[in-house]
């Protein structure tokens, strides 16, 4: 299918199954909050972003968009956005797409990773009404740049992202990626989850719902107790059990070391759900392994120096992201928060620096996604 019509089909699907986006667009069409303004966006150019920009555009204004990363840029989306009158700069590297957006002097910015924000500071310019930052990485970067010369709304640290995207988005996506790569069903499998924060709780909960028996390791005994009340088997760090699948979700480097791997049963499947690609010490394992077999794309089997084998999925990077797995809904929900956050920045003069997410915005998002409930 030609990419433009593929994108049209995708957008029709998103519009059909996620009416909250249409409701948002209708609201913006009535209010026209962006009339007379230039809006700069730095985002991954996926069909989900195209769906967001289409609704934002109904609120008026001129849109100038940079690709956050050429590796995540969908050429069909670039074509589509240009067709609807958006200026798009795909770029060839991580930063050259941003220069034309800065040259357009945006009044208001939506950013991923604070890349556009940092580039504007370096260029000595500022978005008059401020910037909305979507990601945790971006929040860490902007905090390191304080004091900031413009207001920033942090939409990463709200209640919804942690409760929905971290828990349900990762939990669902990780197991669908596992099934795609292995063909295995979860029913009756023994799964160990290392780290029982939001991500680990989601991974454990979706495994249990799929019929797995889940054991949970956490260095924090309180989290282990919570895991027990959620219906999982808490085990002490260092306890030797016989899992068939181990998932790390701790945010800690080497939460699963080469020595830990040596204690696992033969052919245990290892998966990471945490942000850092070295939660499982895959480089250490690769260096010490006595055999390495590339079974298929993103599936590698290692023979541990102690004799047994393990199979690593996705090279130890977060598997749901590597496989782009899981439903669109948590991301689209976060995008509606971005849209309402941009409008919020326009409603009053906000103080320079990080602005915490006001509860009313998340309540508005919840009402949009729960019409009549
Ligand atoms: N895959 C994704 O798409 C995705 C999405 C959001 C967040 N993340 C990442 O997932 C990770 C977990 O996020 P969270 O919000 O659940 O964090 P969190 O800090 O709430 O939970 C982490 C848990 O791991 C425990 N822990 C830390 N080190 C440990 C160790 N060595 N052994 C056992 N337990 C240990 C902590 O006590 C804590 O309970 C982070 O790296 C986060 O960036 C991934």
């Amino acid at each position: 299918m030609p990419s433009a019509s593929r994108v049209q089909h995708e957008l029709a699907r998103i519009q059909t199954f996620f009416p909250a986006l249409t409701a948002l667009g209708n609201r913006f069409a009535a209010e026209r909050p962006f009339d007379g303004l230039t809006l700069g966006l730095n985002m991954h150019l996926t069909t989900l972003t195209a769906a967001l920009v289409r609704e934002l555009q109904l609120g008026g204004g001129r849109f100038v968009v940079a690709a956050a990363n050429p590796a995540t840029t969908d050429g069909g989306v670039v074509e589509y956005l240009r067709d609807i009158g958006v200026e798009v700069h795909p770029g060839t590297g991580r930063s050259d797409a941003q220069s034309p957006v800065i040259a357009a002097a945006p009044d208001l910015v939506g950013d991923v990773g604070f890349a556009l924000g940092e580039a504007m500071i370096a260029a000595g310019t500022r978005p008059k009404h401020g910037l909305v930052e979507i990601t945790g990485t971006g929040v860490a970067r902007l905090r390191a740049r304080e004091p900031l010369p413009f207001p920033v709304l942090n939409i990463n640290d709200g209640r919804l992202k942690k409760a929905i995207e971290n828990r349900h988005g990762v939990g669902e996506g990780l197991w669908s990626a596992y099934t795609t790569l292995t063909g295995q069903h979860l029913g009756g499998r023994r799964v160990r989850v290392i780290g029982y924060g939001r991500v680990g709780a989601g991974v454990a909960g979706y495994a249990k719902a799929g019929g797995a028996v889940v054991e949970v390791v956490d260095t924090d005994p309180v989290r282990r107790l919570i895991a027990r009340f959620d219906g999982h088997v808490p085990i002490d760090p260092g306890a030797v059990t016989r899992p068939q699948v181990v998932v790390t979700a701790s945010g800690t480097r080497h939460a699963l070391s080469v020595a830990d791997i040596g204690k696992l049963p033969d052919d245990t499947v290892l998966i990471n759900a945490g942000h850092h690609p070295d939660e499982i010490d895959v480089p250490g394992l690769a260096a010490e392994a006595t055999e390495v077999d590339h079974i298929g794309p993103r599936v590698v089997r290692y023979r541990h120096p102690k004799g047994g084998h393990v199979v690593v999925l996705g090279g130890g990077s977060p598997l749901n992201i590597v496989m782009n797995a899981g439903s669109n809904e948590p991301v689209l929900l976060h995008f509606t928060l971005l849209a309402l956050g941009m409008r919020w920045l326009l409603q009053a003069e906000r103080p320079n620096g990080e602005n915490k997410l006001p509860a009313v915005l998340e309540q508005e998002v919840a009402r949009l996604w729960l019409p009549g409930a």
Side-chain angles (χ1 to χ4, degrees), residues 166 170 194-195 197-199 218-219 223 249-252 273-275 320-321:
N166 289 19
V170 181
I194 301 176
R198 300 280 184 168
V199 172
D218 196 301
T219 42
R223 291 277 170 95
S250 70
T252 313
H275 182 71
N320 58 311
I321 297 176

Side-chain angles (χ1 to χ4, degrees), residues 156 161-162 165-167 169-171 174 193-203 217-221 223-224 237 248-256 272-276 279 317-321:
N156 178 67
K161 172 137 194 273
K162 288 193 171 64
E165 197 170 326
N166 289 19
R167 183 170 183 148
V170 181
L174 186 105
V193 176
I194 301 176
Y196 201 74
R198 300 280 184 168
V199 172
V203 167
V217 187
D218 196 301
T219 42
D220 178 354
R223 291 277 170 95
R224 295 203 295 275
T248 50
S250 70
T252 313
R253 202 166 172 256
H254 296 182
L256 193 66
N272 177 35
H275 182 71
H276 293 289
E279 284 212 23
S317 288
L319 189 65
N320 58 311
I321 297 176

Side-chain angles (χ1 to χ4, degrees), residues 172-191:
E172 184 210 11
L174 186 105
W175 292 116
S176 81
Y178 160 82
T179 303
T180 303
L181 287 179
T182 65
Q184 289 185 334
H185 197 277
L186 274 170
R189 283 191 196 279
R190 294 188 301 275
V191 171

Side-chain angles (χ1 to χ4, degrees), residues 61-194:
R62 170 191 174 202
F63 281 79
V64 190
V65 179
N69 181 352
T72 56
T73 299
D74 179 333
V77 165
V78 175
E79 232 174 278
Y80 168 81
L81 289 174
R82 285 181 175 153
D83 282 351
I84 64 167
V86 174
E87 291 170 46
V88 189
H89 301 281
T92 52
R94 275 182 182 262
S95 56
D96 62 342
Q98 288 148 18
S99 311
V101 180
I102 297 171
D107 303 290
L108 184 61
V109 165
D111 205 356
V112 168
F114 200 56
L116 186 51
E118 261 191 356
M120 289 188 83
I121 294 171
T125 65
R126 55 187 293 275
K128 186 173 154 207
H129 295 288
L131 175 151
V132 179
E133 173 54 48
I134 306 178
T135 66
T137 311
V139 169
R141 280 175 79 177
L142 72 88
R143 284 179 183 162
R145 293 301 301 253
E146 290 273 16
L148 297 169
F150 48 81
V152 173
L153 176 63
N154 166 6
I155 64 163
N156 178 67
D157 292 325
R159 288 154 71 203
L160 284 174
K161 172 137 194 273
K162 288 193 171 64
I164 297 178
E165 197 170 326
N166 289 19
R167 183 170 183 148
H168 296 283
V170 181
E172 184 210 11
L174 186 105
W175 292 116
S176 81
Y178 160 82
T179 303
T180 303
L181 287 179
T182 65
Q184 289 185 334
H185 197 277
L186 274 170
R189 283 191 196 279
R190 294 188 301 275
V191 171
R192 180 190 297 176
V193 176
I194 301 176

